[in-house]
Amino acid sequence: MPDFRFAVAVMPKPGILDPQGRAVEQSLGHLDVDGVRDVRVGRRVELTVQAPAEEQARAVATRLAEELFSNPLVETYALELLR
Amino acid sequence: MPDFRFAVAVMPKPGILDPQGRAVEQSLGHLDVDGVRDVRVGRRVELTVQAPAEEQARAVATRLAEELFSNPLVETYALELLR
């Protein structure tokens, strides 16, 4: 069975407080960096799924993204097939 | 000055221990999921950089990726311009 490698990007929903993003923004002054804003910090999960075809592999990755990698209440996710 | 939005993917280097990835793999049995392996967990940082042109914006994002978002000893990063 072929392997499919995915990346799942999990980000805080717009409007949801993102303390890590705020922390980064507060560090920018110390680094003398101007012109940076709207910093959001999330997670990236990469995984290999072995399945008969891409459709089945994508279904497994989607289930994991929804149930294990993200909290749908406060986070969104995006799935990307890595070539 | 125009805005440029970037995503920075920060991942543990190959061969570097990834406890979060191991934890995910150990959860898969409880979820009755087969055929998933090589799980790696990293970070994704999105940011907006205001700069005269893409080249300067990219330089700022690269500097932050190297100095603030990642630890070059144990992590790699990849920069992506979001359209």
Side-chain angles (χ1 to χ4, degrees):
Chain A
M1 277 203 290
D3 284 340
F4 300 88
R5 185 126 181 114
F6 295 94
V8 184
V10 179
M11 298 299 293
K13 279 188 183 170
I16 294 287
L17 190 69
D18 172 15
Q20 292 183 90
R22 293 299 78 66
V24 168
E25 288 171 356
Q26 283 168 24
S27 309
L28 298 173
H30 304 291
L31 288 170
D32 255 323
V33 172
D34 285 328
V36 174
R37 60 170 206 278
D38 298 336
V39 180
R40 305 289 277 172
V41 178
R43 287 185 303 289
R44 177 183 170 98
V45 184
E46 294 184 3
L47 68 159
T48 296
V49 184
Q50 193 175 52
E54 185 187 327
E55 192 184 342
Q56 288 97 319
R58 196 175 278 275
V60 170
T62 299
R63 189 182 153 211
L64 292 177
E66 283 174 1
E67 296 183 16
L68 196 57
F69 303 154
S70 73
N71 177 346
L73 214 61
V74 291
E75 294 170 325
T76 60
Y77 73 86
L79 198 68
E80 179 193 358
L81 180 64
L82 302 176
R83 304 284 174 176
Chain B
M1 276 204 290
D3 285 338
F4 301 88
R5 186 126 181 114
F6 294 94
V8 184
V10 179
M11 298 299 293
K13 279 188 182 169
I16 294 286
L17 190 69
D18 172 14
Q20 292 182 90
R22 292 301 78 65
V24 168
E25 288 171 357
Q26 284 169 23
S27 309
L28 297 174
H30 304 291
L31 287 171
D32 255 322
V33 172
D34 286 328
V36 174
R37 60 170 205 277
D38 298 337
V39 180
R40 305 290 276 171
V41 178
R43 288 185 302 289
R44 177 183 169 99
V45 184
E46 294 184 3
L47 67 160
T48 295
V49 184
Q50 192 175 52
E54 184 186 327
E55 193 184 340
Q56 287 98 319
R58 196 175 277 275
V60 169
T62 299
R63 191 183 152 209
L64 292 177
E66 283 174 1
E67 296 183 16
L68 195 58
F69 303 153
S70 73
N71 176 348
L73 214 62
V74 292
E75 294 171 325
T76 59
Y77 73 85
L79 197 68
E80 179 194 357
L81 181 64
L82 303 175
R83 305 285 174 175

